[in-house]
Amino acid sequence: MFYNPANRLLVIHVWEWNSEDLIIDTIQRLTPKVFILDCTTEFDFNPNIETQQFKEIVKVIKEHKIEAFLLLGSLSENSYRFNFNNHVSPFKVKFFPTFFLHHTFPLLKYKYNQYKIKERIFYMQVNRPHKHRCILIDQLARLKLLNDTNYSWNLNTKEYEHSGEYKFKYWKEESKIAKDDYQSEGSSYIKPEKHYFTSLFDLVSEATTQCIFYTEKTFKPILLGKPFIIYGAKGINKGLQNLGFKLYDNVVDYTFDSEKDDIRRAELLSKELLRLSKLPLQEIDKSMHSIADFNIDKAKEILRDDNQVHIDDNITYKLDIDLGILNYLY
């Protein structure tokens, strides 16, 4: 938490994981003029926006007539599965979907050779086995797409409490640690094992299917110039077009991206990968180079912005890339 008594500004960051009671007690004790819930590194706040606990925070904000801002890293309110505006009022919401682009860029210390011969259709890195990732790998196994590819699966569902007790139907779960030791959040940025570079697509399993939210998992292949396909919320691939990026729709059929149901969307995506796997890899790889180059240029264009945003006439902040948090300037 940060409080500036000079302008009565209270800032709470989501990664502090404060309890509802502590947040409410702090607001009532300080009665700030402006309150900022900084969730730029997430798509939601803790406690979750849909919960009664968040409603209690909202109630206190209204009672004290505090000007409140909610900063989120998701694409927009339209990608959430619930009536977003009903839950967050009176917070003024600001979305920063390219936060992780700025965070990822200085941490990538290696390059990707577009012209390297491709041997496999995709490569997938998974650290935490969230339920939607269990669904995806199960569907990949159903079509035997794991037989001739490389992937990492660092934790099994018994080791991770947020897997939702998923029961695999087609895949016999086993931990699979890549030779690059991709085992933690920090190692997301290290150079992957060689099979990543000889695969056609980076199969990105994003952080959530609750809304469109892009992390380093998506911006890494964009910055490297590697073709990718994302499994996340409905519309997550096409949502990149709203940010100015191009899809590989000269090769990929993105019909799966419009499917609401997670299991069905994973099934359709897997079928599309199966179709692509039967095509000549080198030819379709060559046909995607110009799109990859365009996306690199678009990413650099976004990175050139100074990232300084005015929430209103009195409050300005600038993204602090090194710390991965917001550095507020007053």
Side-chain angles (χ1 to χ4, degrees), residues 56-297:
E56 294 300 321
I57 296 173
V58 167
K59 181 180 177 181
V60 173
I61 295 297
K62 290 179 178 179
E63 287 177 352
H64 291 277
K65 298 180 180 179
I66 298 169
E67 185 176 14
F69 296 91
L70 176 61
L71 314 183
L72 293 168
S74 47
L75 182 63
S76 72
E77 68 274 15
N78 296 326
S79 69
Y80 285 81
R81 293 182 172 184
F82 54 89
N83 190 321
F84 183 85
N85 292 323
N86 284 354
H87 288 277
V88 300
S89 179
F91 279 94
K92 299 174 184 177
V93 184
K94 305 291 182 180
F95 295 94
F96 302 96
T98 59
F99 172 85
F100 275 98
L101 171 60
H102 295 270
H103 185 69
T104 302
F105 176 69
L107 296 175
L108 287 179
K109 305 298 184 183
Y110 60 92
K111 295 183 179 180
Y112 175 77
N113 183 357
Q114 287 183 331
Y115 300 96
K116 195 174 187 67
I117 298 299
K118 302 302 184 292
E119 301 172 352
R120 296 168 177 82
I121 189 64
F122 71 89
Y123 185 94
M124 181 174 68
Q125 291 176 302
V126 174
N127 184 34
R128 299 174 178 175
H130 291 295
K131 182 179 178 180
H132 67 281
R133 292 171 179 162
C134 296
I135 291 171
L136 176 60
I137 201 168
D138 213 17
Q139 289 299 319
L140 294 172
R142 184 176 71 89
L143 297 182
K144 298 179 172 55
L145 285 165
L146 299 177
N147 296 351
D148 189 36
T149 192
N150 288 86
Y151 62 94
S152 62
W153 190 267
N154 294 338
L155 299 173
N156 61 47
T157 52
K158 292 181 179 179
E159 298 172 307
Y160 189 62
E161 61 180 338
H162 301 295
S163 298
E165 298 183 353
Y166 184 83
K167 304 297 182 183
F168 293 99
K169 295 180 181 179
Y170 309 103
W171 183 56
K172 184 178 180 180
E173 184 180 21
E174 59 178 351
S175 296
K176 183 176 173 63
I177 308 299
K179 293 181 180 179
D180 56 20
D181 293 326
Y182 172 70
Q183 297 182 56
S184 67
E185 296 301 318
S187 64
S188 299
Y189 305 98
I190 69 172
K191 187 176 181 179
E193 62 177 347
K194 65 178 182 178
H195 300 299
Y196 179 84
F197 300 92
T198 58
S199 62
L200 188 59
F201 291 100
D202 184 338
L203 179 55
V204 176
S205 177
E206 261 301 357
T208 184
T209 60
Q210 299 305 305
C211 67
I212 296 177
F213 178 56
Y214 303 109
T215 68
E216 79 286 347
K217 301 170 187 64
T218 293
F219 290 120
K220 179 177 72 174
I222 287 178
L223 288 166
L224 293 174
K226 182 176 179 63
F228 58 93
I229 300 175
I230 313 172
Y231 178 68
K234 172 190 173 185
I236 194 167
N237 289 274
K238 295 179 182 178
L240 286 171
Q241 294 175 314
N242 296 335
L243 303 177
F245 295 105
K246 287 185 177 180
L247 298 181
Y248 296 94
D249 50 11
N250 63 323
V251 171
V252 179
D253 180 353
Y254 289 96
T255 299
F256 69 88
D257 203 45
S258 301
E259 172 58 47
K260 293 181 180 180
D261 182 75
D262 287 355
I263 297 177
R264 179 60 177 162
R265 191 166 59 259
E267 179 184 348
L268 292 175
L269 187 157
S270 299
K271 287 183 177 179
E272 176 60 9
L273 287 171
L274 181 62
R275 180 188 73 83
L276 291 169
S277 69
K278 297 177 181 178
L279 301 178
L281 297 187
Q282 312 315 320
E283 290 184 21
I284 60 176
D285 180 38
K286 184 178 180 180
S287 71
M288 295 189 291
H289 289 173
S290 62
I291 296 175
D293 289 338
F294 176 91
N295 286 339
I296 292 175
D297 291 340

